[in-house]
Amino acid sequence: MANKTVSDEEFIELWRTLKSAAAISQRLGIQERAVHARRRRIELKYAVELEAKDHRSKSWNHRQTAHEHAARYLLGIENGTVLVFSDAHFWPGIRTTAFKGLLWAISTLQPKAVINNGDAFDGAAISRFPRIGWDSKPSVIQELKACEACLGEIEEAARKIRHNVKLVWPLGNHDARFENRLAQNAPEFEGIGGFHLKDHFPAWIPCWSTWLTDNVVVKHRYKGGIHATHNNTVGSGKTIVTGHLHSLKVTPYSDYNGTRYGVDTGTLADTDGPQFVDYLEDGPTNWRSGFIVLTFKDGELLYPEVVQKFSDNHIQFRGQVIDVSDL
C-alpha cells in the first residue's frame, strides 16, 4: 500500500479503532517503528494515552500524573456533530425541558460525541457553604441516583443511534465536591472503589478538557465575568467552549488568524430550579437553559448553534419551536 498521510486527529481515531501498531502500519503503508514514534509524539503533545489491545505493545504510563482525571482527551473530529451541555445539577425527580431537548437533539442530529461539560453532580449536601435557614437538600446518594438516571438516559439515546459515540465528562467544580470531601476527611480510603465520582459513571470518559480539534477545546471553566466568552477566546487563542456561568451564548472573535468563538453552554437545569432558588434569594439572573450544537466540516468548526428553552416542554432551534413533551 502506498504511504498515506493522515492528520493527528485521524491517527488518534485510527489507533482507537485498531489499537495495534502492526495493523496501522499495514493500513497506512508505513513502518511499524514510525507508527510507534508518532503514537509517542501524540501522547506527549496532547497528554492523552493511546491504549493498545496487546499488552506487549509499548506503553507510556510513566507520563501520566497522579491525578485521577486525565488532563486532556482528544476527540479528533473531522466531520459531524458534537453536542455540549453543562451545569445540569441533576436533582431527584426533575427532568427539565432542556434535558428533554437534549434527548431530541441526540435522536435528530446523531452526534459523534456528547460532552457533559461539568457540574452534572451538584453536591448540595457537601457544599463548603453553610445551610440557608432550614432548606432541604437531597443527600449524596439521592443526587448520585438522579445523575445515574439522567446520564443513563443520555447514554442509551446516544448508543441507540451510534454504537461508537463518545461520551466525555470534563470535571466541573461542583463535581469535584464528591472527591474533595472524601479526600479531605477519609484519606485512608484512597483507591477504594466508589470513592471517585468516575467509578459511578463508567460510560463517561473523565478529563479536565476535551480537544475536538487542535483549535477547539471544551472545558468547564476558564475566565469569569460578563465578558468571559470574549476573554476566553482572546486569552486562549482557541475556540473555547465553557460552562459554569449558565449564560448560553456565542461570541465570535476575529483577528489575523481568522475567526474563532467563545461559547457558553448555559445550564441544562431550569434557571429557577430548586438547586438555585434559595442562594439566589429569588433574584433575577442572566442565565439561560439549553445547550450547544457544534458542527464540523473537513476539520473546521461552523458557527456554533444554540438550543434554548422556549417555554415548558418546548425548545427553540434553527428558527423553529419544537415540542419535546413526549420525551
Side-chain angles (χ1 to χ4, degrees):
M1 179 183 290
N3 189 309
K4 181 180 178 182
T5 301
V6 296
S7 66
D8 285 353
E9 291 85 356
E10 290 171 326
F11 183 91
I12 289 168
E13 188 62 30
L14 193 60
W15 185 278
R16 286 176 175 156
T17 300
L18 300 178
K19 295 186 177 181
S20 165
I24 293 175
S25 171
Q26 185 176 10
R27 176 74 64 87
L28 299 182
I30 60 178
Q31 292 185 353
E32 191 171 334
R33 182 189 297 269
V35 175
H36 281 302
R38 187 168 187 190
R39 174 193 178 196
R40 183 184 184 189
R41 288 197 302 272
I42 287 176
E43 287 186 317
L44 292 171
K45 179 179 178 181
Y46 298 106
V48 298
E49 182 180 7
L50 300 180
E51 297 180 353
K53 64 182 178 182
D54 187 341
H55 71 275
R56 294 169 297 178
S57 184
K58 294 181 180 179
S59 176
W60 307 101
N61 291 335
H62 61 278
R63 293 182 308 96
Q64 296 184 353
T65 66
H67 200 282
E68 288 296 326
H69 302 274
R72 297 179 180 179
Y73 184 79
L74 186 64
L75 275 172
I77 302 295
E78 286 289 319
N79 293 284
T81 298
V82 175
L83 301 180
V84 190
F85 71 93
S86 74
D87 299 273
H89 299 274
F90 288 123
W91 209 254
I94 296 179
R95 296 173 80 256
T96 66
T97 295
F99 173 76
K100 296 175 185 178
L102 181 64
L103 297 179
W104 170 87
I106 290 171
S107 176
T108 303
L109 303 178
Q110 301 185 357
K112 286 191 170 181
V114 179
I115 301 175
N116 166 16
N117 198 18
D119 287 358
F121 177 80
D122 187 80
I126 52 175
S127 170
R128 62 186 174 87
F129 298 104
R131 186 177 182 183
I132 302 174
W134 303 106
D135 65 344
S136 177
K137 297 183 177 71
S139 66
V140 171
I141 188 62
Q142 288 174 325
E143 278 201 44
L144 278 179
K145 288 186 178 298
C147 288
E148 288 172 350
C150 290
L151 292 177
E153 282 195 67
I154 294 169
E155 178 188 350
E156 182 179 358
R159 299 274 190 223
K160 182 177 180 180
I161 57 93
R162 191 182 295 274
H163 72 91
N164 60 345
V165 66
K166 299 295 185 182
L167 304 173
V168 188
W169 187 345
L171 189 73
N173 55 299
H174 279 257
D175 301 322
R177 289 176 174 178
F178 183 89
E179 292 177 29
N180 288 350
R181 172 60 71 93
L182 292 169
Q184 292 164 11
N185 294 282
E188 300 85 358
F189 290 83
E190 182 176 358
I192 293 178
F195 273 60
H196 296 289
L197 187 62
K198 69 176 185 178
D199 295 342
H200 302 273
F201 305 96
W204 295 81
I205 300 166
C207 58
W208 285 120
S209 66
T210 180
W211 291 63
L212 279 57
T213 68
D214 285 347
N215 297 307
V216 181
V217 58
V218 180
K219 66 192 306 292
H220 181 64
R221 58 180 178 173
Y222 182 29
K223 298 181 182 293
I226 191 172
H227 302 298
T229 49
H230 170 86
N231 294 332
N232 283 347
T233 190
V234 172
S236 67
K238 307 286 186 183
T239 287
I240 184 165
V241 183
T242 55
H244 191 58
L245 299 180
H246 303 185
S247 63
L248 193 64
K249 61 184 177 183
V250 178
T251 304
Y253 180 82
S254 301
D255 57 17
Y256 287 132
N257 296 311
T259 300
R260 56 188 185 270
Y261 308 95
V263 182
D264 186 301
T265 50
T267 172
L268 209 65
D270 286 328
T271 57
D272 59 352
Q275 306 94 319
F276 316 122
V277 66
D278 285 323
Y279 86 80
L280 290 174
E281 300 176 355
D282 197 30
T285 61
N286 186 22
W287 295 354
R288 283 158 289 278
S289 184
F291 54 93
I292 295 292
V293 177
L294 303 177
T295 304
F296 291 84
K297 174 67 174 176
D298 297 330
E300 296 295 325
L301 175 66
L302 306 184
Y303 200 101
E305 298 175 284
V306 170
V307 180
Q308 185 174 338
K309 175 182 176 180
F310 181 78
S311 61
D312 286 345
N313 291 315
H314 293 82
I315 57 171
Q316 53 181 313
F317 180 54
R318 294 179 180 172
Q320 295 184 334
V321 175
I322 300 158
D323 186 341
V324 293
S325 57
D326 291 337
L327 295 168

